[in-house]
Amino acid sequence: MNNDMPPPPQKVIHELTVAYWASRCLQVIAELGVADQLGDVPQSAATLARAAGGLNAQALHRVLRSLSNHGVFVHDGETFAHNDASRLLRSDTPGSMRSLARMMGLKVHWDAYRELDVSVRTGKPGIAEVVDGGLFGYLRAHPEEGRLFSEAMEGKAYSQIGPILETYDFSGFATIGDIGGAGGHLLNAVLGRAPQARGVLFDLPQVVKHARQNPNPRVDYVGGDFFKDQVPPCDAYMMMTVLHDWSDDESVAILNNIKSNAPRTAKILILEGVVQPDARNNFLLDLDIEMLVMTTGRERTRSEWDAVISRAGMRLTRVMPAGAWSSIVEAEIV
Ligand SMILES: C[S@@+](CC[C@H](N)C(=O)[O-])C[C@H]1O[C@@H](n2cnc3c(N)ncnc32)[C@H](O)[C@@H]1O
């Protein structure tokens, strides 16, 4: 069969219509910690159900069998074994994605997605229909979920950080800021490559409080609101998947606030996706829907980034692709 043949249209519609079945199975298995109960020896669903605190063995078997069908776990007769994908649902795997799957399964997330039709009618985020204060207001009011969100960002960032370190030379900076840096995963990795530098982790106070529990002695931890509080001066300001959470006006306001206390020679490093106008089969186009539902932001093309950066009195200097879906958009103050 010719691999370039498009799949039959019925198959496309059928599979997309029900894609949430498997997605929900994954989130629930992550939430219930099932992968943590499975070691190197294959186990039956009954054993895993007991180990996970008393689940229904038959239902668990059916959910794990479905996930195996999608390439997560290996089902063989009565038992299930780990594969590389299912190991990412363990809490102790380096680059674990368990928190990401749990976060996507939060009730607030599903409730907001139920409102996607409202977003399409009005252009407003679905989350505004279900909670006050937007995503970050909700996370502030629900500290457990806020912590989960920061951990989820670390799992999400695993595929971004390696390519960023390979692509950009941080060796010339004395002070590197990570603005909206969550737990500091990017900043710690960058400082590992830039032994001359000190770091500034700037995020909302409750997020920084959590990050401080695992301190890096070379980092200053600063809690604040990047719309109105002073961001300490840095030679480079990194913002990874931060501005995509905000509208153009809000993004300009954040950049202006950073600029108001920045050295004129500072570099601004926006570590985000850059949508190609003819993009097909590209993760960013799905991530854009997450932004539509959960935030006031969007994924942007190069010219859309250029417009935001120019409005903030900065100049886009270069765009360096870094990894499968992320780029380094470098800017300087005009
Ligand atoms: C999508 S997360 C990105 C986290 C991290 N940069 C990464 O890519 O893994 C956005 C971050 O912006 C922070 N944030 C949201 N609103 C903020 C505000 N008003 N002031 C400072 N930080 C804020 C959030 O707490 C969160 O850590």
Side-chain angles (χ1 to χ4, degrees):
M1 187 168 130
N2 181 349
N3 285 336
D4 295 337
M5 286 270 287
Q10 290 82 358
K11 184 168 158 39
V12 173
I13 297 301
H14 195 181
E15 287 186 357
L16 258 183
T17 299
V18 302
Y20 74 94
W21 293 351
S23 178
R24 187 70 189 131
C25 286
L26 185 80
Q27 294 163 0
V28 166
I29 290 303
E31 180 61 34
L32 296 173
V34 175
D36 282 337
Q37 305 304 329
L38 181 60
D40 292 336
V41 180
Q43 300 289 352
S44 68
T47 304
L48 292 170
R50 270 193 304 279
L55 309 176
N56 181 285
Q58 197 189 61
L60 181 62
H61 182 94
R62 291 163 66 185
V63 169
L64 290 175
R65 187 177 59 180
S66 166
L67 282 177
S68 306
N69 192 38
H70 289 280
V72 184
F73 299 100
V74 178
H75 176 214
D76 184 11
E78 279 308 298
T79 64
F80 295 91
H82 269 309
N83 58 10
D84 288 346
S86 64
R87 262 184 220 100
L88 287 173
L89 297 179
R90 281 189 63 94
S91 312
D92 59 0
T93 301
S96 169
M97 298 177 88
R98 180 182 174 211
S99 297
L100 184 65
R102 286 182 66 201
M103 189 272 285
M104 290 293 167
L106 288 177
K107 183 171 181 313
V108 66
H109 230 126
W110 281 79
D111 287 351
Y113 266 81
R114 212 170 276 124
E115 306 297 333
L116 177 59
D117 60 318
V118 177
S119 297
V120 174
R121 286 198 183 93
T122 66
K124 301 213 173 85
I127 193 168
E129 297 294 305
V130 293
V131 298
D132 291 328
L135 173 62
F136 297 108
Y138 174 84
L139 295 176
R140 187 164 38 233
H142 297 82
E144 273 302 310
E145 295 181 22
R147 265 196 289 280
L148 181 66
F149 184 85
S150 285
E151 286 167 19
M153 290 303 101
E154 192 168 346
K156 176 274 307 172
Y158 207 73
S159 64
Q160 292 175 284
I161 291 177
I164 288 168
L165 298 181
E166 294 311 314
T167 307
Y168 201 83
D169 178 8
F170 290 91
S171 63
F173 301 121
T175 311
I176 301 172
D178 191 358
I179 316 306
H185 40 277
L186 171 66
L187 185 58
N188 291 336
V190 166
L191 291 179
R193 286 290 179 98
Q196 80 294 343
R198 283 195 63 78
V200 173
L201 182 75
F202 188 96
D203 206 302
L204 292 166
Q206 72 277 8
V207 177
V208 168
K209 189 172 156 207
H210 180 53
R212 240 195 223 116
Q213 286 169 6
N214 196 7
N216 179 335
R218 289 166 57 206
V219 171
D220 294 328
Y221 293 87
V222 183
D225 178 345
F226 50 39
F227 284 101
K228 55 180 171 49
D229 294 324
Q230 207 170 60
V231 177
C234 299
D235 300 308
Y237 298 87
M238 306 185 292
M239 273 178 284
M240 182 163 75
T241 39
V242 169
L243 295 183
H244 77 161
D245 295 335
W246 303 99
S247 69
D248 287 2
D249 287 351
E250 289 163 327
S251 298
V252 170
I254 295 167
L255 289 174
N256 266 324
N257 188 40
I258 291 172
K259 193 179 77 169
S260 67
N261 196 34
R264 306 297 299 171
T265 52
K267 298 281 187 212
I268 320 296
L269 305 175
I270 300 170
L271 311 171
E272 297 262 9
V274 177
V275 177
Q276 302 301 322
D278 57 354
R280 300 274 183 285
N281 192 17
N282 186 309
F283 170 68
L284 275 186
L285 305 185
D286 292 330
L287 188 57
D288 188 46
I289 303 308
E290 174 76 355
M291 296 306 117
L292 174 64
V293 173
M294 301 302 285
T295 75
T296 50
R298 59 190 306 180
E299 299 305 323
R300 295 181 171 93
T301 61
R302 181 183 172 125
S303 62
E304 288 166 342
W305 280 120
D306 201 7
V308 166
I309 288 167
S310 305
R311 278 181 58 198
M314 298 179 182
R315 180 175 45 235
L316 190 159
T317 42
R318 50 186 171 157
V319 175
M320 307 160 83
W325 58 272
S326 217
S327 291
I328 301 171
V329 180
E330 185 194 61
E332 57 191 27
I333 298 169
V334 178

